[in-house]
Amino acid sequence: MNTDKMLGVLGGMGPLASAEFMRSLTLQTPALRDQDHLPAILVSDVRVPDRTAARLGTGPDPLPALLRGIRILEGAGCGAIAIPCNTAHGWFDAMQAATALPILHIVDAAAADLRAQGIASGCIGLMGTAGTLAMRLYQERLTNYEVITPDAAEMARLVTPAIEQVKANDLIGAYAPLAEMATRLHAQGAQAVVLGCTEIPLGIAAGPALPFPVVDTVAALARAALAWWREA
C-alpha cells in the first residue's frame, strides 16, 4: 500500500451512508494494525442541499456546497475523492472540472462490481432516488447493459419512502419495501439489481439476504478507493 496517499471522502449525503462507507472501507482492507489502513478524511457535510430536489427543480443547487467540501479535502492534502452519494454524481463533471484531484465515480465502481460477479452485459435492475433515475446516471455510463427501473407508482409506494426511512434511521422498516422492489426487478429479467442509492444497501442489509445478485454501491466505491490506494 502507498502510505503517502490519503483519501478524501465527501459525505453527509446522508450521514449514515457516509459512516457505512468508512466501515466498509475499513472492513475490506487486509490489515493487522491501525497503520495498515488507508488514511482518510471524511467531510460529513449534511448542509449540502437535497440533490433530488435540485435535479427535479424544487430545491437549491448543491454544487456550491459540494465544491466547498472539495476545497476542504484539497486543503487537507487528499490525493483522491470518493463521494458515497449516487445522486451527487449528477454534478460529477462540474466537480471534476473544479479540482485536479481524481474523483472516483460511483457508477464505474458499480460496473466493476457487476463484472466481478460475471455480469458484463445484459439486463440489470436499478434502484435509486428519483433524481438519480431522472438524470439517467447509470444508463448513460453503462451502455453495454439494458437498465430497467421502478415505475413512478413503485417509486412512490416503495423506493422513495424506504430511502426516507433509512435517512430517519429506520433501517428495519425500510427492508420490506426495498426487498419487494428488488424482487420485482429480478422477476422482470434483471440478472442483478444495482442498489444505486447509498441508503438502499443499509435497508437491504437489515433483513435476509436477497436470493439473486445485487450491487452494493457503498461497498463497491470502497473497493474502488482501495484499488486507487494500491496503485503506485
Side-chain angles (χ1 to χ4, degrees), residues 6-196:
M6 184 161 60
L7 178 70
V9 183
L10 180 54
M13 303 170 279
L16 188 57
S18 301
E20 177 61 22
F21 173 82
M22 297 301 294
R23 177 179 180 273
S24 182
L25 188 69
T26 302
L27 290 176
Q28 292 191 72
T29 302
L32 297 177
R33 55 181 187 154
D34 295 347
Q35 293 77 18
D36 293 335
H37 287 272
L38 191 168
I41 292 180
L42 167 63
V43 173
S44 186
D45 192 352
V46 297
R47 300 168 298 176
V48 178
D50 186 271
R51 284 66 58 199
T52 292
R55 186 52 62 187
L56 299 180
T58 59
D61 185 359
L63 183 59
L66 293 169
L67 294 180
R68 178 181 65 219
I70 287 172
R71 297 290 172 255
I72 293 171
L73 296 171
E74 287 176 331
C78 297
I81 295 173
I83 307 173
C85 172
N86 281 265
T87 315
H89 284 70
W91 290 264
F92 178 86
D93 289 343
M95 289 187 290
Q96 187 60 87
T99 181
L101 301 182
I103 301 176
L104 308 177
H105 202 297
I106 201 166
V107 177
D108 293 345
D113 189 277
L114 284 167
R115 292 192 298 270
Q117 296 191 60
I119 304 169
S121 61
C123 179
I124 59 171
L126 171 64
M127 297 165 63
T129 65
T132 291
L133 300 189
M135 290 184 284
R136 296 180 57 82
L137 293 178
Y138 280 81
Q139 294 90 328
E140 296 296 330
R141 208 163 181 96
L142 302 185
T143 55
N144 52 326
Y145 295 94
E146 175 194 356
V147 180
I148 59 175
T149 60
D151 62 26
E154 290 168 329
M155 286 294 295
R157 183 173 71 85
L158 298 171
V159 182
T160 300
I163 291 172
E164 292 171 351
Q165 283 178 287
V166 174
K167 287 184 178 292
N169 295 331
D170 181 12
L171 277 63
I172 293 174
Y175 174 79
L178 292 174
E180 179 182 341
M181 189 65 250
T183 301
R184 284 170 172 251
L185 292 171
H186 178 64
Q188 293 172 36
Q191 300 174 71
V193 176
V194 177
L195 309 181

